[in-house]
Amino acid sequence: MQKIITIIIFLIFISTFAQNKYGNPEVDPIQIQKTYTDWSAYQSKKIMLSRDFTALDSNSKEISKESFLDQLANGNYIPIRLKSEDSVYYYKLFLIQPKSDTSIKATINQIGFDAHKNFEMEGKPFPKFSFKDLNGNLVSNETMKGKIIVIKCWYIHCTPCIREFPQVNQLAEDYKDRKDILFISLAEDTPEQLKVFLARKPLSYSVIPNMKEYMNEALQLNSFPTHFILNKEGMIAKVLPNFESLEVALAKESKL
């Protein structure tokens, strides 16, 4: 009996040590699940699955980022960041509580699916590409070679795509002196539709029209906006779901 108690105490100690090694959750994992609104506000502001982070399972064991995203897509977990230095990121899986809003699990599964799909594209060549932008300039894998390429995928009736226009325009302005960084956008819409729309809401990126088929088939996108960063070798460095993650990833890529 004494031996069993000793083993239990030891296991508790090991579990506590693992947790303390990486820090405590920055929010209460149970409390944050009380309402969908509370969880969503936290998720959108604090969890950036496209960034580089140390992934931990529900037992505080380090796992691969791929496994972490797979469990978010197919399991019953929410990701919580652990307290650490500002530049260090530890994300840990916590079980979704039985009484939590079912929309939380459904949304996390979708977010995890999209993040896992994006992660699998990283490190691969950008699909063969040769199209003309609204100004008649040819944009292709060859013309983009040797430069960092930022690509925004969008369409006119995508509200989140349009909402981030001021931010992505400012980003292009911030890097305007970097001749080795190009900003390109792929849009589903026709040249005529885009010219009318962009006259009211300008976009500082080069705009390529009629890209619905390419985005559906070559890129297999199912959510918008989606941003790509290509390195100077034409490989996909990052695939990102929003401006916030794009800004972080481009700052890192531009320093390499």
Side-chain angles (χ1 to χ4, degrees):
M1 184 67 180
Q2 183 65 38
K3 186 176 181 180
I4 293 175
I5 293 174
T6 302
I7 292 173
I8 292 173
I9 293 173
F10 176 75
L11 291 174
I12 292 173
F13 170 78
I14 292 296
S15 176
T16 303
F17 174 78
Q19 177 68 48
N20 291 338
K21 176 184 176 182
Y22 296 107
N24 296 313
E26 63 179 4
V27 295
D28 185 325
I30 296 177
Q31 188 64 34
I32 202 67
Q33 301 179 47
K34 292 292 185 182
T35 69
Y36 180 86
T37 302
D38 288 345
W39 166 80
S40 181
Y42 171 77
Q43 169 78 26
S44 61
K45 292 180 180 178
K46 296 292 186 176
I47 302 298
M48 197 179 296
L49 296 174
S50 58
R51 73 157 70 247
D52 297 324
F53 60 87
T54 298
L56 305 174
D57 67 12
S58 57
N59 295 315
S60 296
K61 178 184 176 182
E62 283 194 37
I63 56 176
S64 68
K65 181 175 180 178
E66 182 177 17
S67 176
F68 185 93
L69 297 177
D70 180 67
Q71 290 187 57
L72 285 181
N74 299 295
N76 190 44
Y77 299 100
I78 62 169
I80 299 290
R81 185 183 173 189
L82 303 185
K83 293 178 181 177
S84 61
E85 298 176 9
D86 288 345
S87 60
V88 179
Y89 289 82
Y90 297 109
Y91 290 168
K92 180 180 172 180
L93 298 173
F94 288 87
L95 279 172
I96 295 176
Q97 299 301 300
K99 294 184 179 180
S100 295
D101 188 328
T102 55
S103 297
I104 294 178
K105 181 181 186 303
T107 305
I108 289 177
N109 287 160
Q110 185 61 54
I111 290 172
F113 175 83
D114 291 339
H116 189 273
K117 179 173 171 288
N118 290 347
F119 178 73
E120 286 186 319
M121 296 178 73
E122 294 174 6
K124 296 179 180 177
F126 194 71
K128 189 173 181 180
F129 184 89
S130 183
F131 299 99
K132 288 186 178 181
D133 67 16
L134 287 177
N135 296 319
N137 300 309
L138 178 66
V139 183
S140 68
N141 301 81
E142 290 302 314
T143 63
M144 297 189 300
K145 192 173 292 183
K147 299 180 184 294
I148 295 172
I149 311 298
V150 180
I151 301 174
K152 172 183 169 71
C153 299
W154 66 289
Y155 58 95
I156 285 175
H157 297 294
C158 168
T159 301
C161 301
I162 310 309
R163 189 186 300 127
E164 64 178 18
F165 266 30
Q167 295 167 302
V168 296
N169 285 341
Q170 183 59 53
L171 190 67
E173 175 68 18
D174 292 342
Y175 287 92
K176 67 180 181 179
D177 295 328
R178 288 287 301 266
K179 303 306 179 184
D180 61 333
I181 301 179
L182 297 180
F183 293 84
I184 296 168
S185 77
L186 312 183
E188 290 188 357
D189 315 278
T190 67
E192 294 75 19
Q193 292 170 322
L194 287 165
K195 287 175 182 177
V196 171
F197 181 81
L198 294 172
R200 294 185 292 107
K201 292 185 177 293
L203 178 62
S204 297
Y205 288 38
S206 172
V207 180
I208 302 174
N210 294 324
M211 297 302 293
K212 183 174 183 177
E213 182 178 343
Y214 179 83
M215 290 192 285
N216 286 345
E217 297 183 5
L219 300 180
Q220 297 185 349
L221 298 185
N222 57 15
S223 63
F224 295 86
T226 294
H227 303 269
F228 290 84
I229 296 178
L230 312 185
N231 64 22
K232 294 184 177 182
E233 288 70 48
M235 308 295 283
I236 299 172
K238 283 290 182 183
V239 186
L240 310 141
N242 51 42
F243 168 77
E244 289 76 17
S245 54
L246 169 63
E247 184 179 35
V248 171
L250 183 58
K252 181 177 180 179
E253 186 67 27
S254 67
K255 296 175 182 176
L256 297 179

